[in-house]
Amino acid sequence: MKLKVRFETPIGVPVEAELEPEEDLYQVLRERGQAGWTAVRLRYQGIALPLACEECFDWRLLGASVVERDGFVEAVVIGGAEYKRRDLAERRGLPRVIKYSRGARDGDPAPLVEGSGQDRYVTLVRFVGAGPCPPELCRRDRSDRPGG
Amino acid sequence: MKLKVRFETPIGVPVEAELEPEEDLYQVLRERGQAGWTAVRLRYQGIALPLACEECFDWRLLGASVVERDGFVEAVVIGGAEYKRRDLAERRGLPRVIKYSRGARDGDPAPLVEGSGQDRYVTLVRFVGAGPCPPELCRRDRSDRPGG
Amino acid sequence: MKLKVRFETPIGVPVEAELEPEEDLYQVLRERGQAGWTAVRLRYQGIALPLACEECFDWRLLGASVVERDGFVEAVVIGGAEYKRRDLAERRGLPRVIKYSRGARDGDPAPLVEGSGQDRYVTLVRFVGAGPCPPELCRRDRSDRPGG
Amino acid sequence: MKLKVRFETPIGVPVEAELEPEEDLYQVLRERGQAGWTAVRLRYQGIALPLACEECFDWRLLGASVVERDGFVEAVVIGGAEYKRRDLAERRGLPRVIKYSRGARDGDPAPLVEGSGQDRYVTLVRFVGAGPCPPELCRRDRSDRPGG
Amino acid sequence: MKLKVRFETPIGVPVEAELEPEEDLYQVLRERGQAGWTAVRLRYQGIALPLACEECFDWRLLGASVVERDGFVEAVVIGGAEYKRRDLAERRGLPRVIKYSRGARDGDPAPLVEGSGQDRYVTLVRFVGAGPCPPELCRRDRSDRPGG
């Protein structure tokens, strides 16, 4: 099976990459993501990953650059849009969720927009629920950290 | 003839897979579907399959995970959206239909939305009509059951 | 020149097929169409074919199954949608047209919808005008007839 | 570099063609265009070509058939839609333009529609401005003329 | 890894190019861009590049032709649309931005349109922020300048 990924490059030119058999999908996403190439598509309510992923997630997989403060990834930036960290505590039976989202813009496709009235937003990723984080989604070590 | 399938991966990155000649389409859909890769596209009124498929359908083909209760697949989940089982008895000449559907959201594309007013919904699959279930769509055996 | 066709399969999974040099496009469309794979895209006013094609057209090319009565293809079905035969006689200088169409649905893309008010519809194929039917679009013989 | 082109065929089935290294893009467009395969996408205000192209343009490149009168291409037809010739003389500092356009339909995508009120239209090609016509866009000789 | 780029050609026919291993992405963009082939997709607020790129950016990468005056690229043209240079000085803590934008048209996709009321526009590129310009985005030398 040959895999292909369609990237948006920093100069706005989409490029499709066809992987060689010996190339690893996640490694390619990491390397290209570091150069600002992104292949992620936004989803309603964001990409759902286990809460455990929040501490180790490698944002380069999404072509995102990160803004860190006090050891947290405070925000991530893709294609000039900034998604901010929001930590929603457990309440009324709903589990804790950590989301990275941004305010909605007039032109955002309706299927992506959550909320209503003044509080309309678009979510990139939500970390929620039990289970371990798949190792291929994690940074490998401290020297592998974004921004470090 | 070489076949290609375009998957959505759990991290929101679409990946196209080109099958090798010896690879079987349905087996690839099963394996990737188990890892949460989905290639299904929603259709108006849902994908139509014979009623006989309802008992054996392998939901991994659609990249869906299942919620079972009392031996029934009570609901299936794709990309965080939950489609619930509805069993509509035969009436007024209309045949029995078992559907898996969810409430419509504001942003759902109009061509996919059924119903009206408060009762608007989107159907993933409908099992309806005579005829056997094609074997390639069925789970192979008990140990092959989702969740089991 | 290598040719590729993008099919919708009966389980809602799009699959792209790349033909081998020795494979014939129309034969592939026929074989896959018989299994319910369809590659057709709807067009405003329908696909235009010569009137002569109406008697021999091989609907499997479009992945359609047919409902026959009295030797006519009364209706054709693609992806659960039924397109009915309409025979519009010559009048006011307009030539005879035989169309296969269905009533419009709320969510149909505007560019596909004809008519107005209560009489809004979508056309799959219209047979109209002079000229022979290209042989590659015809059923080969009686035993090759759909449903027979 | 390998080139690929996506055609619409006369039976409404899109087909992608991957050219062999020895095949010429424009020759392939001509040959397939003669059989009614079209790869053109409409653009706002039409495809812009130098005025000099109007006399020699090979409409087969766009999969168009032509209606000639008095030595002019009076109209061209793609997928059943007829685009008529309009010759707009130079005025108020605007250069002469020869356009092939059709009246807008209710369902035309907004980005393609020009004009307003009753005079709304869609342009296929506009010939305007100085400069020679690139030879690869021209008919080769009289026997190469469409319709002749 | 094999790379593919999808161009719009001057005759409105999209063509996908698959690069050979020895071909350089940026060199291909330059060569095709010089012939008017463009692969760029518009983005909300435009493609973001460091301010340092403004002096050396090679517009051929986007398939744009340029209008120069007094040593500045006063405007760039892609597919008949002209994007004009606007130099917004630093103010209220916002950094200096040089943009190439055009007035919005009725049919522009909502996600691309900025501003409101009479002042609605679409941005192709914005040069803003610190950092060097990546060499692969720059013209190589004076003889390599567009229009020269």
Side-chain angles (χ1 to χ4, degrees):
Chain A
M1 203 159 57
K2 274 189 245 166
L3 300 181
K4 293 173 203 175
V5 184
R6 192 162 176 281
F7 289 100
E8 283 286 320
T9 61
I11 55 165
V13 171
V15 174
E16 192 183 83
E18 181 178 317
L19 276 57
E20 302 298 333
E22 71 278 8
E23 287 180 308
D24 175 68
L25 173 62
Y26 293 98
Q27 191 53 27
V28 166
L29 291 174
R30 276 188 175 85
E31 287 171 11
R32 295 284 157 167
Q34 181 112 26
W37 294 34
T38 182
V40 76
R41 297 293 179 280
L42 289 171
R43 260 183 215 181
Y44 181 71
Q45 294 188 334
I47 301 152
L49 296 171
L51 190 56
C53 284
E54 202 261 332
E55 295 206 7
C56 70
F57 187 63
D58 191 339
W59 290 96
R60 294 176 304 175
L61 290 166
L62 309 185
S65 59
V66 306
V67 181
E68 287 191 291
R69 190 159 62 180
D70 304 335
F72 287 106
V73 174
E74 191 182 50
V76 303
V77 178
I78 297 182
E82 189 182 79
Y83 298 84
K84 288 195 176 132
R85 185 180 190 269
R86 284 167 179 88
D87 187 342
L88 309 177
E90 187 179 348
R91 51 169 190 146
R92 282 185 246 163
L94 291 177
R96 182 182 174 203
V97 182
I98 296 174
K99 305 205 284 187
Y100 287 80
S101 56
R102 62 168 169 78
R105 305 187 297 229
D106 272 10
D108 279 317
L112 295 178
V113 178
E114 303 166 67
S116 60
Q118 291 297 91
D119 184 29
R120 292 162 58 81
Y121 54 95
V122 169
T123 306
L124 173 63
V125 175
R126 68 180 202 272
F127 298 102
V128 62
C133 190
E136 68 270 22
L137 304 187
C138 284
R139 295 183 308 268
R140 303 275 166 70
D141 54 52
R142 301 300 284 184
S143 68
D144 197 34
R145 290 188 66 165
Chain B
M1 201 159 59
K2 276 190 243 167
L3 300 182
K4 294 174 202 174
V5 183
R6 192 163 176 280
F7 289 100
E8 282 286 319
T9 61
I11 56 166
V13 171
V15 174
E16 192 182 84
E18 181 178 318
L19 276 58
E20 301 298 333
E22 70 278 9
E23 287 180 307
D24 174 69
L25 173 62
Y26 292 98
Q27 190 54 28
V28 166
L29 290 174
R30 276 188 174 84
E31 286 170 12
R32 295 286 157 166
Q34 181 113 24
W37 293 34
T38 182
V40 76
R41 297 293 178 279
L42 289 172
R43 259 183 216 180
Y44 182 72
Q45 294 187 334
I47 301 153
L49 296 171
L51 190 57
C53 283
E54 201 261 332
E55 296 207 5
C56 70
F57 187 63
D58 191 338
W59 290 95
R60 295 175 304 175
L61 291 167
L62 309 185
S65 60
V66 306
V67 181
E68 287 191 292
R69 189 157 64 179
D70 305 334
F72 287 106
V73 174
E74 189 182 51
V76 302
V77 179
I78 297 182
E82 189 182 78
Y83 298 84
K84 288 195 179 135
R85 184 179 191 270
R86 285 167 178 88
D87 187 341
L88 309 177
E90 187 180 347
R91 54 173 186 141
R92 282 186 247 162
L94 291 176
R96 183 181 173 203
V97 182
I98 296 174
K99 304 206 284 188
Y100 287 81
S101 56
R102 61 168 171 77
R105 305 187 297 229
D106 272 10
D108 279 317
L112 294 179
V113 178
E114 302 166 68
S116 60
Q118 292 297 91
D119 184 29
R120 291 162 59 81
Y121 54 95
V122 170
T123 305
L124 174 62
V125 175
R126 67 181 203 271
F127 297 102
V128 62
C133 190
E136 67 271 21
L137 304 187
C138 284
R139 296 184 306 268
R140 303 275 166 69
D141 55 50
R142 303 298 285 184
S143 68
D144 197 33
R145 290 188 65 167
Chain C
M1 201 159 59
K2 275 190 244 166
L3 300 181
K4 296 175 201 172
V5 184
R6 194 164 176 278
F7 289 101
E8 283 286 319
T9 61
I11 57 167
V13 171
V15 174
E16 191 182 84
E18 181 179 319
L19 276 58
E20 301 298 334
E22 71 277 9
E23 287 180 309
D24 174 69
L25 174 61
Y26 292 98
Q27 189 54 27
V28 167
L29 291 174
R30 276 188 175 85
E31 285 170 12
R32 294 286 156 166
Q34 180 115 25
W37 293 35
T38 182
V40 76
R41 296 295 178 278
L42 288 171
R43 260 182 214 180
Y44 181 72
Q45 295 187 332
I47 301 152
L49 296 172
L51 190 58
C53 284
E54 202 261 331
E55 296 207 5
C56 69
F57 187 62
D58 192 338
W59 290 96
R60 295 175 303 175
L61 290 166
L62 309 184
S65 59
V66 305
V67 181
E68 286 191 293
R69 188 157 63 179
D70 304 335
F72 287 105
V73 174
E74 189 181 52
V76 303
V77 179
I78 296 180
E82 189 182 78
Y83 298 84
K84 288 193 178 135
R85 185 178 191 271
R86 285 168 178 89
D87 187 341
L88 309 177
E90 187 180 347
R91 55 175 185 138
R92 283 186 247 161
L94 291 176
R96 183 182 173 202
V97 182
I98 295 174
K99 305 206 283 188
Y100 287 81
S101 57
R102 62 167 170 78
R105 304 188 298 230
D106 272 10
D108 280 317
L112 294 180
V113 177
E114 303 166 67
S116 61
Q118 292 297 90
D119 183 29
R120 291 162 59 81
Y121 54 97
V122 170
T123 305
L124 173 63
V125 174
R126 68 180 202 272
F127 297 104
V128 63
C133 191
E136 66 271 22
L137 304 187
C138 284
R139 297 184 304 270
R140 303 277 167 69
D141 55 50
R142 303 297 287 183
S143 68
D144 198 32
R145 291 188 65 167
Chain D
M1 204 160 58
K2 275 189 245 166
L3 300 181
K4 294 174 201 174
V5 183
R6 193 164 176 277
F7 289 101
E8 283 286 319
T9 61
I11 57 167
V13 170
V15 173
E16 191 183 82
E18 181 178 319
L19 275 57
E20 302 299 333
E22 71 277 10
E23 287 179 309
D24 174 69
L25 173 61
Y26 293 99
Q27 189 55 27
V28 166
L29 290 174
R30 277 189 175 86
E31 285 170 12
R32 294 285 156 166
Q34 180 115 26
W37 293 35
T38 183
V40 76
R41 297 295 179 278
L42 288 172
R43 260 182 214 182
Y44 182 71
Q45 295 188 332
I47 301 151
L49 296 171
L51 190 58
C53 283
E54 203 261 331
E55 295 207 7
C56 69
F57 187 62
D58 192 338
W59 290 96
R60 294 176 304 175
L61 291 166
L62 309 184
S65 59
V66 306
V67 180
E68 286 190 293
R69 189 158 62 179
D70 303 335
F72 287 105
V73 174
E74 188 182 54
V76 302
V77 179
I78 297 181
E82 189 181 79
Y83 298 84
K84 288 192 177 137
R85 186 177 189 272
R86 284 166 178 90
D87 187 340
L88 309 176
E90 186 179 348
R91 55 174 186 140
R92 285 185 245 162
L94 291 176
R96 182 182 173 201
V97 183
I98 295 174
K99 305 205 283 188
Y100 287 80
S101 56
R102 62 167 170 77
R105 303 187 300 228
D106 272 10
D108 279 316
L112 294 179
V113 178
E114 302 165 69
S116 61
Q118 292 295 90
D119 184 29
R120 292 163 58 81
Y121 54 96
V122 170
T123 305
L124 173 63
V125 174
R126 67 181 202 273
F127 298 102
V128 63
C133 190
E136 67 271 22
L137 305 187
C138 285
R139 296 184 305 270
R140 303 275 167 71
D141 54 49
R142 303 298 287 183
S143 68
D144 199 31
R145 291 187 66 165
Chain E
M1 204 160 58
K2 274 189 246 166
L3 300 181
K4 294 173 203 175
V5 184
R6 191 163 177 279
F7 288 100
E8 283 285 319
T9 61
I11 56 166
V13 171
V15 173
E16 192 183 82
E18 181 179 317
L19 275 57
E20 301 299 334
E22 71 278 8
E23 287 179 309
D24 174 69
L25 173 61
Y26 293 98
Q27 189 54 27
V28 166
L29 291 173
R30 275 188 175 86
E31 286 170 11
R32 295 285 157 167
Q34 180 115 25
W37 294 34
T38 183
V40 76
R41 296 295 178 277
L42 288 171
R43 260 182 216 183
Y44 182 71
Q45 294 187 335
I47 301 152
L49 297 171
L51 190 57
C53 284
E54 202 259 332
E55 295 207 6
C56 69
F57 187 63
D58 192 338
W59 290 97
R60 294 176 303 175
L61 291 166
L62 309 184
S65 59
V66 306
V67 181
E68 286 191 292
R69 189 159 62 179
D70 304 335
F72 287 104
V73 174
E74 190 182 52
V76 302
V77 179
I78 297 182
E82 189 182 79
Y83 298 84
K84 289 194 177 134
R85 186 179 190 271
R86 284 167 179 89
D87 187 341
L88 309 176
E90 186 180 347
R91 50 168 192 149
R92 285 185 243 162
L94 291 176
R96 182 183 174 203
V97 182
I98 295 174
K99 305 205 283 188
Y100 287 81
S101 56
R102 62 167 170 79
R105 303 187 299 228
D106 273 10
D108 279 318
L112 294 179
V113 178
E114 302 166 68
S116 60
Q118 292 296 91
D119 184 29
R120 292 163 57 81
Y121 55 95
V122 170
T123 306
L124 173 63
V125 174
R126 67 181 202 272
F127 298 102
V128 63
C133 190
E136 67 270 22
L137 304 187
C138 285
R139 296 184 306 270
R140 304 275 166 71
D141 54 51
R142 302 299 284 183
S143 68
D144 197 34
R145 291 189 65 166

